[in-house]
Amino acid sequence: MAYAAYVFDAYGTLFDVHSAVRRHAEAIGPDGQQLSEIWRAKQLEYSWTRALMREWRDFWALTEEALDHAFERVPSADRSLRADLLDAYFKLDCYPEVPAVLKALKATGARVAILSNGSVPMLASAVGNAALDSVIDDVFSVDELRTFKTDPAVYEMVTTAYRLYPDAVSFQSSNRWDVAGATKFGFRTVWINRARMPDEYRDLSPSLILPDLNGVE
C-alpha cells in the first residue's frame, strides 16, 4: 500500500546518535561507548520528564545537560572534549541507506518529512550536513508546541499540516516508545529496530519491524 506521507523520526532513525562519540573515540578512551549510551538515555529521560512537568526546555539544552551528566558518570572521559562532542552532535552522520531510501519514497510522489523532538537549529544542521535537503519536504519540530513525544499533539502536527487522516501516514522510528505513541495516534508504524531490541508495548504493535530503513514502502 502506498501512503500519502512517509514521516521519519530523526535521532536514531535517520541520524546516528552515537556517531558524535565515535568521531572522538580515540581521545575519549575505552569508556566512550558507556559515555554515549548514558548521554542518549539521559537526553530522552529529560525530555519525558519535562513534558510531564510541562516545564519546557528545548532539546539542545537537554542534550547539553545530558552530556554533562554523562561526564559525571564516566570520570575517565576528558571534559575538555565537551565542545567537540556537542559540535559533532550538531552534525551527526546519517545512516548509509538513508539518502537512497528517502529518494525512492519521494519519487513515488509521497511527501517525505521529519517529525522530531529536536530543536529547529539542530534539525536544520543535521539535514544540511547529510545533504538531505532535496529529499525532505518538511521538518516538524516540537519547538512549535513546547512539549515532546509521545504527546499526541506532536503527531497531530503532521495530519494538520497535510490535511490527512492518520492512517494515510507511514511513520518510521527506531525508538519503540515513539512507535507506540504514533500507533496509538493512528499512524501506520514501522519500527526500525537497529539495536535488535526485544519488543515492548505489545498492546501497541507496529505494522512492520525492520533492521534498517531498507524495505520501507
Side-chain angles (χ1 to χ4, degrees), residues 174-196:
S174 65
N175 301 298
R176 186 62 182 91
W177 52 269
D178 191 13
V179 170
T183 299
K184 173 65 175 175
F185 182 72
F187 287 160
R188 178 259 195 162
T189 54
V190 182
W191 179 24
I192 309 302
N193 189 9
R194 295 186 182 278
R196 311 302 200 270

Side-chain angles (χ1 to χ4, degrees), residues 19-51:
S19 65
V21 169
R22 280 202 305 273
R23 205 172 297 174
H24 299 281
E26 186 174 350
I28 294 170
D31 296 327
Q33 182 176 349
Q34 182 186 13
L35 181 79
S36 191
E37 289 175 355
I38 293 172
W39 186 6
R40 174 61 170 168
K42 283 295 172 181
Q43 178 198 51
L44 293 176
E45 179 189 323
Y46 293 166
S47 72
W48 299 327
T49 304
R50 289 280 175 176

Side-chain angles (χ1 to χ4, degrees), residues 117-155:
N117 280 342
S119 68
V120 171
M122 288 176 72
L123 293 168
S125 176
V127 169
N129 184 65
L132 297 176
D133 314 65
S134 63
V135 292
I136 292 176
D137 297 304
D138 296 285
V139 177
F140 297 98
S141 166
V142 299
D143 281 6
E144 179 181 329
L145 300 177
R146 298 173 71 86
T147 187
F148 295 102
K149 299 173 183 176
T150 56
D151 187 326
V154 175
Y155 306 106

Side-chain angles (χ1 to χ4, degrees), residues 26-133:
E26 186 174 350
I28 294 170
D31 296 327
Q33 182 176 349
Q34 182 186 13
L35 181 79
S36 191
E37 289 175 355
I38 293 172
W39 186 6
R40 174 61 170 168
K42 283 295 172 181
Q43 178 198 51
L44 293 176
E45 179 189 323
Y46 293 166
S47 72
W48 299 327
T49 304
R50 289 280 175 176
L52 287 168
M53 290 192 297
R54 299 179 182 176
E55 185 66 29
W56 169 255
R57 284 177 70 79
D58 74 47
F59 204 58
W60 184 245
L62 302 187
T63 300
E64 292 179 306
E65 292 167 6
L67 177 57
D68 291 335
H69 176 81
F71 274 127
E72 292 178 0
R73 294 269 300 276
V74 186
S76 63
D78 186 353
R79 283 177 178 265
S80 69
L81 295 169
R82 182 182 189 273
D84 290 335
L85 288 172
L86 289 171
D87 181 67
Y89 204 98
F90 214 66
K91 303 169 185 173
L92 290 174
D93 298 333
C94 72
Y95 289 100
E97 82 278 9
V98 167
V101 170
L102 297 192
K103 184 177 180 180
L105 292 172
K106 188 176 177 68
T108 68
R111 286 171 164 148
V112 176
I114 287 174
L115 176 65
S116 175
N117 280 342
S119 68
V120 171
M122 288 176 72
L123 293 168
S125 176
V127 169
N129 184 65
L132 297 176
D133 314 65

Side-chain angles (χ1 to χ4, degrees), residues 159-179:
T159 53
T160 299
Y162 289 161
R163 297 178 179 270
L164 294 172
Y165 288 110
D167 61 6
V169 176
S170 179
F171 179 75
Q172 291 66 225
S173 180
S174 65
N175 301 298
R176 186 62 182 91
W177 52 269
D178 191 13
V179 170

